[in-house]
């Protein structure tokens, strides 16, 4: 039984390790926000994919919040969740995913082939590196991003294994909010991923605010994430359950409902948008009666 569960966990952790090649023929989305977005690689930031508004001049005086993202399976395909990431970027964010844009050939699996173990392809520090780069670009002479980055509006996020990476980076003081998607710390002694930190005690060190986005009862990470949420009582926290399973809505058109929820959370937590806040706060909040999902709020969030 334990072996079967371990294999199931590995299979789900590998959901995000895909290649762009099969989908590259389809038209790439631009997002539905005010600023149609693109994705690209930057010579100054190897092992990352950058998502941003294509026309930076269209921002005017607005500045881009920073949203760093760890991939499903901790994989190296920085485009595996591109619809989600393009959607967020189109609403005025500088989004940076670990990994690269895959070549025409299929990406290698993250499984090492020896006992079904998971071989992490992108290190946790890449999320921190992405924040460092964004802050440098805001002041670097000649950078197209110079003066356009809101360097104090920083969110750490990720899917599945990447969500565990985001939890680690969320401990950095400069991160204001975390968005943990289809993920959560494993129970003590149950972490199957070498090189990835999983420790429930670290939840007490989170600061700012946090949002968990889970996939309902069929999401294999649901138990982990729901348990995390119940333990977070010292900062405002919310849990949104979307009954779609562990695969989420990342590659649905415009990133699906999860991208909508995440963008509203970022607009509130990073930009102070009170209209966005109404999705989460108050007895008649926007997501309180939304039949597409269920929303739970801890006591600190309920009071806001």
């Amino acid at each position: 039984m334990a072996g079967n569960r371990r294999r199931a966990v590995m299979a789900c952790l590998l959901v995000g390790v895909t290649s762009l090649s099969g989908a590259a023929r389809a038209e790439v989305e631009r997002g539905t926000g005010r600023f149609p977005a693109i994705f690209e690689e930057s010579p100054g930031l190897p092992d990352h994919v950058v998502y941003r508004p294509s026309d930076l001049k269209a921002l005017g005086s607005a500045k881009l919040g920073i949203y760093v993202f760890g991939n499903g399976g901790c994989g190296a395909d920085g485009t595996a969740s591109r619809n989600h990431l393009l959607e967020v970027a189109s609403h005025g964010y500088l989004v940076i995913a670990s990994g690269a844009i895959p070549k025409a050939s299929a990406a290698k699996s993250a499984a090492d082939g020896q006992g079904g173990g998971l071989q992490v392809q992108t290190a946790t520090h890449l999320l921190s590196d992405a924040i460092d780069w964004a802050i440098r670009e805001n002041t670097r002479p000649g950078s197209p991003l110079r003066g356009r980055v809101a360097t104090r509006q920083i969110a750490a996020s990720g899917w599945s294994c990447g969500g565990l990476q985001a939890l680690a980076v969320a401990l950095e003081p400069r991160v204001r909010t975390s968005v943990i998607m289809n993920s959560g710390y494993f129970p003590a002694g149950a972490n199957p991923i070498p090189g990835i930190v999983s420790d429930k005690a670290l939840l007490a060190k989170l600061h700012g605010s946090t949002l968990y986005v889970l996939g309902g009862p069929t999401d294999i990470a649901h138990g982990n994430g729901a348990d995390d949420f119940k333990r977070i009582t010292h900062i405002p926290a919310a849990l949104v359950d979307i009954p779609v399973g562990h695969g989420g809505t990342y590659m649905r058109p415009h990133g699906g409902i999860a991208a909508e929820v995440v963008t509203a959370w970022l607009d509130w937590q990073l930009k102070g948008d009170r209209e966005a806040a109404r999705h989460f706060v108050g007895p008649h909040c926007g997501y309180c009666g939304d039949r597409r999902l269920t929303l739970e709020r801890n006591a600190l969030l309920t009071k806001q």
Side-chain angles (χ1 to χ4, degrees):
M1 180 67 70
N4 290 338
R5 176 169 176 78
R6 182 182 178 87
R7 285 190 290 273
V9 169
M10 291 302 171
C12 288
L13 288 169
L14 289 169
V15 165
V17 185
T18 59
S19 172
L20 179 63
S21 58
R25 301 180 190 90
E27 183 179 353
V28 176
E29 293 190 359
R30 304 291 300 279
T32 65
R34 292 171 51 204
F35 310 107
I38 59 170
F39 62 88
E40 61 189 2
E41 293 177 328
S42 172
L45 185 65
D47 302 319
H48 293 81
V49 178
V50 177
Y51 297 74
R52 64 169 178 83
S54 57
D55 182 3
L56 294 171
K57 292 182 180 179
L59 292 169
S61 61
K63 295 191 176 185
L64 302 169
I66 301 170
Y67 180 72
V68 296
F69 188 84
N71 303 316
C74 294
D77 181 354
T79 67
S81 302
R82 62 190 175 278
N83 286 1
H84 173 87
L85 302 177
L86 285 164
E87 180 63 22
V88 173
S90 76
H91 290 270
Y93 291 91
L94 177 61
V95 177
I96 309 173
S98 301
I101 299 174
K103 308 306 178 187
S105 58
K108 293 181 180 179
S109 169
D112 63 12
Q114 299 177 9
L118 182 69
Q119 184 180 33
V120 172
Q121 294 181 340
T122 51
T124 298
H125 72 77
L126 291 177
L127 297 183
S128 297
D129 294 349
I131 297 172
D132 292 341
W133 177 84
I135 293 172
R136 289 197 306 270
E137 287 297 290
N138 190 54
T139 57
R140 182 177 67 83
S143 168
L145 294 168
R146 187 176 187 183
R148 298 191 183 278
V149 183
T151 57
R152 295 187 179 182
Q153 298 178 7
I154 302 174
S157 182
W159 169 21
S160 192
C161 179
L164 297 177
Q165 294 179 318
L167 279 168
V169 174
L171 301 179
E172 297 183 14
R174 59 189 178 176
V175 175
R176 285 181 51 183
T177 192
S178 53
V179 179
I180 311 305
M181 307 189 71
N182 306 101
S183 187
Y185 282 138
F186 290 95
N191 179 12
I193 315 174
I196 295 295
V197 173
S198 179
D199 183 353
K200 296 279 188 182
L202 293 175
L203 294 169
K205 297 183 179 182
L206 288 173
H207 59 273
S209 61
T210 191
L211 169 68
Y212 277 74
V213 180
L214 303 178
T218 63
D219 181 351
I220 199 167
H222 189 274
N224 295 350
D227 180 70
D228 282 6
F229 171 71
K230 290 177 181 178
R231 293 170 184 253
I232 300 172
T233 58
H234 64 293
I235 60 172
L239 186 158
V240 169
D241 236 335
I242 304 169
V244 294
H246 192 65
T249 67
Y250 306 94
M251 287 304 294
R252 292 190 181 184
H254 314 303
I257 177 62
E260 175 192 320
V261 170
V262 170
T263 300
W265 181 266
L266 296 176
D267 284 351
W268 175 29
Q269 295 297 316
L270 297 185
K271 299 181 178 181
D273 187 327
R274 298 309 302 173
E275 188 65 31
R278 293 190 181 98
H279 289 290
F280 301 95
V281 298
H284 306 293
C285 73
Y287 290 139
C288 289
D290 194 319
R291 295 184 179 181
R292 301 172 298 172
L293 53 82
T294 56
L295 170 68
E296 293 184 58
R297 302 171 289 181
N298 72 358
L300 290 178
L301 193 70
T302 301
K303 292 177 181 178
Q304 295 191 15

